[in-house]
Amino acid sequence: MPLHRLTHVVIGVPNVEQTAAYYTDFGLTPRQDHRPTPQEPQPSQHILSTVDGGDQMRIVHSARRRLIELGVGADNPDDLDRVAAALAKLDIPVHRTADSVAAADPGTEVLVRVELAPRYEQVPTPPPAYNTPGIDARLHERAPAILRDSPVRPRKLGHVLLGSTDQEGSQRFFQQGIGFKVSDLVAGQAAFMRCSTDHHNLLVQQAPISFLHHTSWQVDDVDEIGRGAAAMLEADPGRHVWGLGRHYVGSNFFWYLKDPAGNFSEYYSDLDCIVDDALWKPGVFEAARSLYAWGPPPPPSFLAPEDLAALMTGAHAPSQ
């Protein structure tokens, strides 16, 4: 498909420094030229990168936590022309430049920027040798995963989950306007959509207010999920939200943690891959199966973040 990945997110938070420190602990790499300087002791933004995706997160100040911008990679200017034309058919205002098309989705209040970007070049992770019944693939040695001691580094930004006050409108914006494809649906509530061969790069769900639920970051395997989460919780047990588990929709292993602004962040691995659209039939899921296949049950705060009422109050407060 002409769209091929998420390029970046711009997250607005009230507490920029604390949130940036959290994502550094999470394994993202801060840009060296955004360290404090005598001229700018508190940088106005922090840029962080992944191993394979480069600069994929920008953290800026905002009165309330929210996703300000979502970047989507396209191959060539013709792809941008098609996106601009499709958005125009939906009567969505478009800002077109030589290398990007930008438009805002009213339901999520996110500016989506489709931009020319190179495709990922990911060095393959060697599959681990697992001993299973009848197959002794690893003899006379401990599992290499338990000997790892380097910090966990996310490989790429995988997906985001957004709350929308108009889920159907947002799905139409991303599907008919931007060019995402629907992978699976949660009956009457949400759509899992993709702009790459990953099962999903975006989940849009109905919500009483537009907000960022979580960002999700790919790591090599389930051991990296466990190691990453263990390190994060050793530093601060209060970061824990939900995990370890495995989703049914998308099939990926997961562990969710919470940043100081209230956004969730997910380590994931082993996500379903869709290369041939004709070989994948979207399903419609309900109840627990839409959430997970196994693991601890999701806490109430995952389904309805604890600050949701405060976000609603702040969003509807008169401007100062």
Side-chain angles (χ1 to χ4, degrees), residues 28-89:
L28 303 184
T29 303
R31 274 260 295 268
Q32 297 302 306
D33 57 354
H34 281 78
R35 286 180 172 177
T37 66
Q39 294 75 26
E40 188 184 23
Q42 298 296 328
S44 58
Q45 64 175 352
H46 286 260
I47 298 175
L48 301 104
S49 65
T50 59
V51 173
D52 299 320
D55 294 340
Q56 293 206 278
M57 172 177 274
R58 182 154 54 99
I59 302 173
V60 301
H61 183 267
S62 176
R64 66 180 176 96
R65 67 177 184 88
R66 56 187 293 257
L67 183 63
I68 295 174
E69 181 173 307
L70 177 67
V72 179
D75 284 326
N76 59 63
D78 289 343
D79 301 326
L80 302 182
D81 292 339
R82 282 190 287 272
V83 172
L87 289 167
K89 289 181 180 179

Side-chain angles (χ1 to χ4, degrees), residues 36 55 94 130 133 207 225 238:
D55 294 340
V94 171
Y130 282 114
I225 293 176

Side-chain angles (χ1 to χ4, degrees), residues 186-221:
V186 179
Q189 295 182 4
F192 290 81
M193 293 180 279
R194 65 187 187 277
C195 63
S196 71
T197 57
D198 289 345
H199 174 273
H200 59 279
N201 303 104
L202 175 69
L203 172 58
V204 177
Q205 68 177 20
Q206 185 65 37
I209 184 177
S210 59
F211 75 103
L212 171 63
H213 185 276
H214 73 263
T215 57
S216 187
W217 306 83
Q218 182 191 57
V219 293
D220 286 335
D221 55 32

